[in-house]
Each structure stands twice: as C-alpha cells, then as structure tokens.
Amino acid sequence: MIFETHAHYDDSAFDGDREQLLEFLAAHGIEKIVNVGASLKGVEDTVKLMEKYPFIYGAVGIHPDEVGELDEEKIKWLHSLCSHEKTVAVGEIGLDYYWNKENHEVQKKWFVRQMDLAKETGLPIIVHSRDAAKDTLDIMKAERADYLKGVIHCYSYSKEQAKEYMNMGYFLGIGGVVTFKNGKKLKEVVEYAPLDYLLLETDAPYMAPEPYRGRRNCSAYLTYVAQAIAEIKKVSYEEVVDITRKNARRLFGV
Ligand code: NI
C-alpha cells in the first residue's frame, strides 16, 4: 500500500470527479493521503476533506506565493487547526523565488512564523523551496529547524544540499520529476540518498510522471514514481513502497 505524502485534492482541477476519484484511489492501493493546504481557502477545504475521508490527513499552512493574506489573526486560526486530531503537519511553507509573487522579506517572515507554529505544536513541517536554496537552508539553520522534523517537498536541489537536509533529519519528497528524461539531477539525488530518507509524493494535480507528463496528476500514478526509484536504487518496487510508507508513518505519526 502506497502512502501519498503530498497532494492538493482541494484544487479545482478535481471539482468534476473528486468523490469518485478519491474512492477509486482508496480501493486501488493508496492507503493514506496527506492533503496539503497552500492558501487560507485551501486549508479550509483540507479540513473538510480530512473530516470526510478516513484515509485523508491534513497539513495546514500557507504557501510562500500566498503569504500576503496572512496576519496574526490568521496565524491564531492555523494554530487552532494544528490541534485537530487529523492534522499531521504544518505546510506547505517556505520560499519561492521562481514565481516571486511575494517580496522575499515577506516570504521569510512568514516562513519563520509558520515554523514557530510547528515548534509550538510539535508537528513536522512540509517545506516548499523553489530557486531559493541558500536562503531556505540559512533560515532553517538559524531557526534550529533540526529540532523539528519534516520533509523538503518536491526536492529539486543538489546532492550536497540533500546531505545537509538529511543531516538535519529531514526527508526528501520525490515525485514525477524522477521519471522525466531531463530529471538527471534528481535521479542523482535519489541514487545518493538512502531509501530511509525518501517519501513518495505527487503534488497532484501538478507534476504528473511519465507517461502522463503534462496531464492532471493523481496518487495512482505514484506507481510510476516508485518504479523509477526502484530502478535507480536497484531494489524491488515492493521495497520502495514499503520503506517509503514506513518513513511517512514515522514522520507523520499515523
Ligand atoms: Ni504542493
């Protein structure tokens, strides 16, 4: 059974068939799903999903592209949701210098503030970091994020950076990119990192693996991701599914 550690089933891409799709996934090898909030609306909808489906858990947090909508009142609201019995992480939080939708200083401020939420509540963090390798690591070190647990979602940086994160006890989230012909850098990271530090994730509806690249992604396609990891690491498909599932259970406590 596959543990899906990062999906956005609240996304409007699933409005037409959300219920059927989720029932299908639960019946076809997807054991658990962490639905990850990214905006205030996304967090609200994540809570609805985790309350409706026994196999869905939630992460509450605001994506760096959306932190303009945060204030201390909203942080209090997020804090209250952290104590929900099915909330398993604070996320996704971090820095995104690719889309650059929010000023870097504003992004950094709310990344730190949301890391505080994790420190206050004992939850792990789900970190989104795009084109912001140095600042992400600098902030996490300065904030003693090694005292927290977490995952670097959609890992896209170097082997050297991966080593730094693993030394801090962090997992690396591996998704569709590992199946891409131009995913050489990630393949090298997967070859290098012990299986004990990897998690399976889709980021659905985005980042569908080959042979569905460019289409709407869903957790059923994690079989292609697990297969690609198995080939790189020269282990069986079952071993990849089994160990990444144990890793996810250990991290999220479910
Ligand atoms: Ni995401």
Side-chain angles (χ1 to χ4, degrees), residues 6 8 92 153 203:
H6 193 120
H8 303 280
E92 54 189 291
H153 137 69
D203 207 17

Side-chain angles (χ1 to χ4, degrees), residues 31 40 97 129 134 137 160 162 167 175 191 200 203 207 212 219:
E31 181 193 34
L40 293 171
Y97 296 174
S129 178
K134 185 177 186 308
L137 196 56
E160 291 70 26
N167 282 342
E191 187 176 18
L200 298 181
D203 207 17
M207 305 298 266
Y212 298 105
S219 309

Side-chain angles (χ1 to χ4, degrees), residues 48-141:
K48 286 182 196 156
L49 285 171
M50 69 190 189
E51 287 179 345
K52 180 168 180 186
Y53 296 96
F55 55 92
I56 296 185
Y57 295 80
V60 301
I62 306 299
H63 186 288
D65 288 350
E66 308 288 339
V67 288
E69 59 183 12
L70 272 175
D71 57 33
E72 272 307 312
E73 278 306 303
K74 306 287 178 7
I75 290 288
K76 270 189 206 152
W77 176 69
L78 290 173
H79 190 285
S80 71
L81 292 176
C82 286
S83 56
H84 191 295
E85 58 176 359
K86 292 190 80 187
T87 299
V88 295
V90 173
E92 54 189 291
I93 61 173
L95 304 173
D96 193 315
Y97 296 174
Y98 176 80
W99 292 110
N100 262 327
K101 286 200 184 158
E102 298 288 345
N103 169 291
H104 292 187
E105 292 314 307
V106 173
Q107 291 191 35
K108 288 179 195 171
K109 172 188 162 179
W110 292 113
F111 181 26
V112 170
R113 186 68 189 91
Q114 293 187 92
M115 250 191 278
D116 289 344
L117 275 180
K119 290 176 186 165
E120 290 158 15
T121 59
L123 290 172
I125 55 175
I126 297 176
V127 178
H128 171 106
S129 178
R130 190 161 181 201
D131 286 1
K134 185 177 186 308
D135 281 3
T136 304
L137 196 56
D138 286 352
I139 287 177
M140 286 178 66
K141 284 187 171 166

Side-chain angles (χ1 to χ4, degrees), residues 155-224:
Y155 188 78
S156 61
Y157 297 139
S158 66
K159 269 196 315 201
E160 291 70 26
Q161 290 255 329
K163 185 177 181 184
E164 298 252 22
Y165 285 116
M166 290 190 290
N167 282 342
M168 292 168 78
Y170 280 73
F171 292 93
L172 311 175
I174 309 297
V177 176
V178 77
T179 69
F180 295 173
K181 277 206 176 66
N182 57 354
K184 187 164 170 273
K185 193 171 152 195
L186 181 62
K187 288 176 196 184
E188 283 172 8
V189 169
V190 168
E191 187 176 18
Y192 166 75
L195 203 44
D196 292 336
Y197 284 88
L198 305 184
L199 297 177
L200 298 181
E201 61 165 48
T202 56
D203 207 17
Y206 311 106
M207 305 298 266
E210 292 291 358
Y212 298 105
R213 188 172 183 177
R215 312 248 298 262
R216 186 184 75 169
N217 200 1
C218 80
S219 309
Y221 300 163
L222 283 174
T223 52
Y224 297 98

